[in-house]
Amino acid sequence: GDGTQCVDINECRDLADACDALTDCTNTDGSYLCSPCPAGFDDINGDGTSCVDINECSGENLCPHQCINTDGSYTCECQDGYRLGADGYTCVGE
């Protein structure tokens, strides 16, 4: 308490929301670093503190019939009477 000894604060341990739950926190002397957001997530602050799912289905048509957004990715679904082919993209008759 007299300013003669300084001890690093472990922000990764002491601050519950230092980094986004999808990233890793690394404590450094006097600060901390967050790993990048994983693929399929946008790093809205550019520092790993806030990762938001990218809706791949909102842009270009990725699927021939219906695109379903999932956390970090997407899946394609076919209309009734069809199923996804081996490529996971093309719809083929059942």
Side-chain angles (χ1 to χ4, degrees):
D2 62 5
T4 59
Q5 291 184 331
C6 296
V7 177
D8 179 54
I9 296 170
N10 185 337
E11 293 87 356
C12 297
R13 180 191 65 219
D14 298 340
L15 299 176
D17 59 351
C19 295
D20 190 274
L22 296 173
T23 65
D24 294 319
C25 186
T26 302
N27 189 56
T28 62
D29 285 339
S31 191
Y32 64 96
L33 296 171
C34 303
S35 65
C37 295
F41 291 86
D42 188 21
D43 189 348
I44 62 174
N45 293 329
D47 60 4
T49 60
S50 186
C51 302
V52 177
D53 178 52
I54 296 170
N55 184 349
E56 294 85 359
C57 297
S58 68
E60 64 182 89
N61 188 9
L62 298 174
C63 301
H65 294 281
Q66 184 176 9
C67 182
I68 306 297
N69 187 56
T70 60
D71 280 345
S73 190
Y74 69 95
T75 58
C76 296
E77 288 188 1
C78 298
Q79 62 192 28
D80 288 343
Y82 293 85
R83 62 176 172 76
L84 285 176
D87 62 3
Y89 174 80
T90 308
C91 292
V92 295
E94 294 186 317

